[in-house]
Amino acid sequence: MEKKTILLVYKGHFSYLPPFQSLVEALLSTNEYSLKVICSEEEPDMDQLYKNDNLEFIHYYTLEPRVGLASRVRNRIKTDFLFKKRVKYDLDTLKYDILWIIHERTAISMRDILVGRKYILTSYELRDYSEPKLMKPLTRPMRDAKVNIQCEYNRAWIARMLYGLKETPLVIPNKPFYHPTTRNEYNDKITSDGKKIIMYQGVFTKERNVEGMCKAISLLNGFKLVLLGKETEYVKELKSKYSIVEFPGFIKSPAHLKLTSNAYIGLVTYNPLDLDCAYCAPNKIWEFSGFGIPMICNEIPGLEYTVGANKCGVCADTNDPESIVNAIKVIDANYQEYSANARKMYDSIDLVGLIHRVIDKYNS
């Protein structure tokens, strides 16, 4: 029986969106589909890493380093005009059975091209009234999608209300499909001193407020904080102020999981500045839980009803060092229980089953 072809379209780098990688991996695992994956920006190492007879990558351009006005103008021409021209041509000429749009920003760029087409739309951020410049152009692509997907239950209902959708979006959590699960896979100077690692991985801005954790760990013996991600001025500030902070830099997904496997406790925190943060759906909680790593999270709905409800971590006031110290002590004293619960939460999600439900709805 001939495989159905799914055309997935994403405006960006494949490595920048781990949940998209998980979707591709899950689809390939079924051996039921042939995938054409449009990732607008070239990324040869990821093409090689994901080389598969049932997968074809399609790229449109390589962006230049943003140095001076000329490079910025050339990049803008590529991301705006060249992307739209090439993607319209591909949608009109490529043979495929299912069209799957990845990320709401991709949908916004394609909003005129998508008119009259049948497609699935996966949104990874909850655009609300705080971002009217994004919410308004996203409304038509959301309403016209045959299937909408959100990555968290509350987000799905909020999106239905915000965008006037006829049905509640389906939910596919940002869980990795392939996960090494084996702990302590990475050994170098970061892991050799015997200290228990509390790890934060992601974006580093003052809005994420990691400083409360720095102050708390400074009060304890035998712990340190490892920050994994791209360096920012905020990271430099934290490293200069706190000796317990170590920063190995940015490691591309999925290779970063080897270092993650050494974490004793994971830190997940979001400042609830908008609905997207309050009802966060971080892939980090799945990366940590796949290793059975307990977590410390701040007290917001997106974490209280995942990590907190599944008792695989402690939700605390991450602005208060004393609250954090207490959370660390509670986890340390009951580590095996929290670790087992973390792995149980990870195993509770069947990505392939959820994806089949999406495709069945698309075909209905």
Side-chain angles (χ1 to χ4, degrees):
M1 183 170 139
E2 187 176 353
K3 292 182 173 70
K4 287 191 173 183
T5 298
I6 302 178
L7 177 62
L8 300 110
V9 185
Y10 174 53
K11 186 179 179 182
H13 281 106
F14 189 54
S15 66
Y16 285 8
L17 196 55
F20 181 25
Q21 296 170 29
S22 296
L23 172 61
V24 168
E25 291 162 0
L27 286 167
L28 289 174
S29 76
T30 67
N31 202 33
E32 297 175 17
Y33 306 102
S34 174
L35 307 184
K36 296 180 185 294
V37 179
I38 296 175
C39 287
S40 59
E41 298 182 45
E42 293 181 354
E43 204 167 12
D45 56 338
M46 297 302 286
D47 291 4
Q48 186 61 37
L49 180 63
Y50 281 83
K51 191 173 182 180
N52 187 292
D53 290 340
N54 291 319
L55 171 61
E56 176 190 356
F57 279 109
I58 300 169
H59 303 293
Y60 296 157
Y61 47 73
T62 299
L63 296 182
E64 304 174 39
R66 300 201 309 174
V67 180
L69 179 61
S71 65
R72 292 172 184 267
V73 170
R74 285 192 293 267
N75 284 345
R76 186 65 179 269
I77 290 172
K78 292 175 183 177
T79 58
D80 285 0
F81 302 105
L82 180 58
F83 174 79
K84 291 178 183 178
K85 180 180 179 181
R86 291 285 302 275
V87 79
K88 184 180 186 306
Y89 177 82
D90 282 341
L91 263 61
D92 288 341
T93 59
L94 292 176
K95 292 183 179 180
Y96 56 87
D97 301 288
I98 298 170
L99 175 60
W100 200 320
I101 308 302
I102 303 298
H103 207 284
E104 62 282 354
R105 286 187 180 272
T106 306
I108 290 171
S109 294
M110 296 174 63
R111 61 188 181 276
D112 296 329
I113 300 168
L114 290 173
V115 173
R117 301 182 194 268
K118 181 182 177 182
Y119 58 92
I120 301 165
L121 172 56
T122 296
S123 299
Y124 289 106
E125 307 290 343
L126 183 61
R127 308 299 178 181
D128 61 20
Y129 296 115
S130 67
E131 299 176 292
K133 290 183 178 179
L134 292 175
M135 186 177 173
K136 185 176 179 180
L138 182 59
T139 299
R140 187 172 67 186
M142 289 274 285
R143 289 179 178 174
D144 289 351
K146 172 66 175 178
V147 187
N148 273 291
I149 301 171
Q150 293 284 331
C151 46
E152 194 267 343
Y153 174 80
N154 294 287
R155 286 183 180 217
W157 277 95
I158 293 169
R160 179 175 180 172
M161 300 300 111
L162 287 177
Y163 290 93
L165 306 180
K166 295 180 181 178
E167 297 181 311
T168 307
L170 299 180
V171 176
I172 300 182
N174 291 333
K175 173 188 173 180
F177 182 71
Y178 289 119
H179 196 296
T181 68
T182 303
R183 300 188 69 166
N184 305 313
E185 287 194 343
Y186 183 90
N187 292 292
D188 74 348
K189 62 182 181 179
I190 291 176
T191 62
S192 62
D193 61 7
K195 291 185 177 181
K196 293 176 179 177
I197 293 173
I198 297 176
M199 180 176 290
Y200 175 87
Q201 50 190 40
V203 178
F204 298 108
T205 62
K206 290 190 176 182
E207 286 72 25
R208 295 298 174 94
N209 192 19
V210 184
E211 190 153 12
M213 181 62 73
C214 294
K215 292 177 180 177
I217 297 175
S218 297
L219 300 173
L220 298 169
N221 292 320
F223 290 88
K224 65 180 179 181
L225 180 63
V226 173
L227 306 177
L228 186 59
K230 291 186 177 181
E231 188 171 49
T232 64
E233 290 302 316
Y234 185 45
V235 171
K236 293 177 183 178
E237 178 185 326
L238 294 175
K239 285 195 299 180
S240 66
K241 288 175 66 175
Y242 300 98
S243 61
I244 48 87
V245 171
E246 292 196 27
F247 179 71
F250 175 73
I251 303 173
K252 271 190 176 183
S253 172
H256 73 293
L257 289 174
K258 290 185 177 181
L259 181 53
T260 302
S261 74
N262 288 273
Y264 184 70
I265 296 173
L267 171 64
V268 186
T269 177
Y270 288 81
N271 197 355
L273 301 174
D274 51 30
L275 289 174
D276 186 61
C277 291
Y279 292 96
C280 62
N283 56 300
K284 294 185 284 290
I285 66 173
W286 302 102
E287 292 177 353
F288 286 134
S289 64
F291 289 116
I293 297 171
M295 288 158 270
I296 294 174
C297 305
N298 62 322
E299 299 164 318
I300 56 175
L303 298 173
E304 290 275 15
Y305 288 97
T306 49
V307 174
N310 286 281
K311 298 182 180 178
C312 54
V314 176
C315 293
D317 182 353
T318 52
N319 292 313
D320 178 11
E322 183 178 352
S323 179
I324 295 170
V325 168
N326 289 337
I328 293 171
K329 289 180 177 179
V330 167
I331 291 174
D332 198 34
N334 303 277
Y335 195 83
Q336 293 306 317
E337 179 183 354
Y338 281 107
S339 178
N341 287 340
R343 187 54 200 263
K344 186 177 180 180
M345 183 181 81
Y346 180 86
D347 290 337
S348 69
I349 299 300
D350 174 15
L351 285 180
V352 171
L354 294 173
I355 289 168
H356 277 146
R357 185 182 174 198
V358 169
I359 293 174
D360 287 345
K361 189 171 181 62
Y362 179 86
N363 289 327
S364 65

